[in-house]
């Protein structure tokens, strides 16, 4: 820990040193972040203010939207601010907090996506027992398990990172603090730590992805016995889930399931699981979902009507 105190802050090298590219990225990522916040908040309010919250799928979706906001907010505001800053510095404490929050909320998202896949499996493969299996208590336990799983995954990552000695240089070739880029600037042999990171993050991503692929394969196989209308509705819902899974897990597996080293492409792939996938989640889950679109129209039209009515009352009085 004495060596560790020699560095009180790190310098993030960011995405590019070109001012024009930085300005373009600032506008782009600011738009993405605002869109992400608005989209996920719309989903949250629409589900909470409608009867959809009682349905397991939308119960999980509301939690996914909450985690998306927390997950992306641990990285994106700092990235946006750094794109206009001359020196992209981050304190040691903030860096460690970013490592923890990224892995904590990221793994919670992974486990909630798994719970959503299980929900679709029960709904399609065991429809007669759906309400018994996916009752409110079990849904709550699944969400609680997702948060507990996030803690079990992220605390070892933080523990390994805190134990690393940093004595210079303090430049991190990334736009946020993560374990693998920090291993490059640690002044000790990090091979064992790198293997443990791959075993932890990489295997969580891979095993979860395999479980999701197998569950969707079983769902698609089961759909052969459904009517054309049933297949269309089920495929519409599952298609949304599969799109989110591919956007999130593809880059994550590339980043963590390989020898503990870093590549220039890592920053580009990281954009997919930190910004792009969470931004597209609201679009993916609403544009192809009739129930979600209907609930949003009903909630927001009702809110607009009530506001208009209150304004008229004030005007008349």
């Amino acid at each position: 820990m004495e060596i560790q105190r020699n560095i009180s802050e790190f310098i993030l090298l960011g995405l590019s040193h070109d001012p024009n590219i930085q300005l373009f990225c600032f506008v782009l990522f600011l738009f993405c972040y605002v869109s992400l916040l608005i989209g996920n908040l719309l989903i949250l309010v629409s589900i909470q203010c409608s009867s959809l919250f009682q349905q397991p799928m939308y119960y999980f979706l509301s939690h996914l939207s909450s985690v998306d906001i927390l997950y992306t907010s641990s990285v994106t505001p700092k990235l946006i601010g750094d794109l206009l800053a001359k020196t992209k510095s981050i304190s040691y404490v903030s860096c460690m907090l970013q490592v923890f929050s990224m892995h904590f909320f990221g793994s919670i998202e992974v486990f909630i996506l798994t719970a959503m896949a299980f929900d679709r499996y029960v709904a399609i493969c065991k429809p007669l027992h759906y309400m018994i299996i996916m009752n409110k208590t079990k849904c709550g336990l699944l969400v609680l398990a997702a948060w507990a799983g996030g803690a079990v995954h992220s605390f070892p990552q933080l523990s390994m990172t805190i134990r690393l000695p940093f004595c210079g240089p303090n430049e991190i070739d990334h736009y946020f603090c993560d374990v693998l880029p920090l291993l490059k600037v640690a002044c000790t042999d990090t091979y064992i730590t790198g293997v443990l990171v791959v075993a932890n993050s990489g295997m969580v991503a891979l095993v979860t992805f395999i479980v999701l692929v197998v569950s969707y394969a079983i769902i698609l196989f089961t759909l052969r016995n459904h009517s054309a209308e049933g297949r269309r509705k089920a495929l519409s819902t599952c298609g949304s889930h599969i799109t989110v899974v591919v956007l999130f897990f593809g880059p994550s597996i590339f980043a963590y399931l390989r020898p503990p080293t870093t590549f220039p492409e890592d920053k580009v792939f990281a954009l997919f699981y930190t910004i792009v996938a969470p931004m597209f989640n609201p679009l993916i889950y609403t544009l192809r979902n009739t129930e979600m679109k209907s609930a949003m129209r009903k909630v927001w039209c009702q809110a607009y009507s009530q506001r208009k009515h209150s304004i008229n009352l004030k005007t008349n009085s």
Side-chain angles (χ1 to χ4, degrees), residues 26 29-30 33 36-37 69-84 98 175 274-275:
F26 171 79
F29 296 139
L30 180 61
Y33 185 58
L36 180 149
L37 291 177
I69 293 172
L70 296 170
Y71 174 60
T72 308
S73 296
S74 64
V75 170
T76 309
K78 172 66 176 169
L79 167 62
I80 293 170
D82 283 347
L83 288 168
L84 296 181
Q98 201 171 61
Y175 63 88
T274 58
I275 300 175

Side-chain angles (χ1 to χ4, degrees), residues 55-123:
Q55 299 183 34
M57 184 176 78
Y58 298 102
Y59 174 75
F60 291 131
L61 180 56
S62 66
H63 283 278
L64 182 67
S65 294
S66 302
V67 172
D68 271 342
I69 293 172
L70 296 170
Y71 174 60
T72 308
S73 296
S74 64
V75 170
T76 309
K78 172 66 176 169
L79 167 62
I80 293 170
D82 283 347
L83 288 168
L84 296 181
K86 290 183 179 180
T87 304
K88 303 169 178 58
S89 62
I90 183 170
S91 68
Y92 176 83
V93 173
S94 297
C95 185
M96 295 302 110
L97 181 61
Q98 201 171 61
V99 170
F100 173 77
S101 58
M102 276 294 299
H103 285 273
F104 181 58
F105 295 119
S107 53
I108 292 173
E109 178 152 350
V110 165
F111 296 133
I112 289 179
L113 286 171
T114 307
M116 293 175 77
F118 177 69
D119 171 72
R120 290 301 86 201
Y121 164 78
V122 175

Side-chain angles (χ1 to χ4, degrees), residues 264-277:
E265 295 82 8
D266 288 350
K267 290 184 278 189
V268 177
F269 279 96
L271 290 172
F272 278 89
Y273 60 80
T274 58
I275 300 175
V276 176

